[in-house]
Amino acid sequence: MLVCTGCAKTMLITIRMRVAGREIVFHRCSKCEANTWQDDAGVLSLTEVLDLARAPH
Ligand SMILES: [Zn+2]
């Protein structure tokens, strides 16, 4: 399990989703509401995720 890097306490909620054919993992802290996105290659910025979602399928 991953622990939030923001508050260093709360276990992150993990949601797997597929965006433009790529497996993306979304982590969210229920306490401080920090969000992170990850794929196989590492951490993605929100901008990168939005770009993927916008890309033609
Ligand atoms: Zn947190």
Side-chain angles (χ1 to χ4, degrees):
M1 286 288 279
L2 287 169
V3 176
C4 177
T5 53
C7 60
K9 285 179 188 170
T10 311
M11 294 299 181
L12 297 175
I13 296 162
T14 300
I15 301 167
R16 290 183 172 275
M17 62 184 81
R18 191 167 276 275
V19 179
R22 288 171 69 173
E23 189 83 12
I24 306 282
V25 183
F26 175 58
H27 298 291
R28 186 172 195 278
C29 176
S30 57
K31 190 170 183 183
C32 70
E33 299 191 346
N35 297 327
T36 59
W37 300 83
Q38 262 183 303
D39 72 357
D40 294 340
V43 176
L44 296 167
S45 69
L46 180 59
T47 309
E48 288 173 309
V49 174
L50 291 175
D51 281 349
L52 279 178
R54 252 197 304 267
H57 299 183

